[in-house]
Amino acid sequence: MATVHSTKIGSGGSVAPGAVSQFKWNNPPWGTVLGYFACPTPPNPSGPHGTSRGEVAVTRVRCHWTRDNYNSDSKYVLIDVTNTGDQPTSYDLYQSWIG
């Protein structure tokens, strides 16, 4: 039976509402079907009854491969994380795969 694996690959700093944060992942397991997802990490609320919330979405994933005759090849993934909420928030980014 196949197992779903997941690992945190990084975090992003505070992203304003509607803004996009671009994350560069230099170590993707090339040739493996991957999924990427982001989880918001809103700041601590202030005040006695304060609230804080976050909402993010992975909105674009691009794979890049540069072949170079003089240096080693360069492979990386660019992942766009958009703040779809109404408050600034940070995020944690994960990749998942079936193995």
Side-chain angles (χ1 to χ4, degrees), residues 23-42:
F23 186 89
K24 183 177 180 182
W25 177 231
N26 287 316
N27 299 309
W30 215 254
T32 300
V33 177
L34 300 169
Y36 294 99
F37 60 97
C39 297
T41 54

Side-chain angles (χ1 to χ4, degrees), residues 7-88:
T7 188
K8 182 178 172 181
I9 60 173
S11 298
S14 185
V15 183
V20 177
S21 172
Q22 187 177 86
F23 186 89
K24 183 177 180 182
W25 177 231
N26 287 316
N27 299 309
W30 215 254
T32 300
V33 177
L34 300 169
Y36 294 99
F37 60 97
C39 297
T41 54
N44 291 327
S46 62
H49 299 288
T51 61
S52 179
R53 60 184 174 271
E55 184 178 300
V56 293
V58 173
T59 52
R60 189 173 174 195
V61 177
R62 297 174 308 277
C63 292
H64 179 90
W65 183 356
T66 299
R67 301 192 101 169
D68 190 333
N69 288 335
Y70 300 101
N71 300 305
S72 61
D73 287 2
S74 171
K75 295 179 180 180
Y76 58 87
V77 175
L78 295 173
I79 304 159
D80 289 353
V81 178
T82 302
N83 181 342
T84 55
D86 60 359
Q87 294 182 7

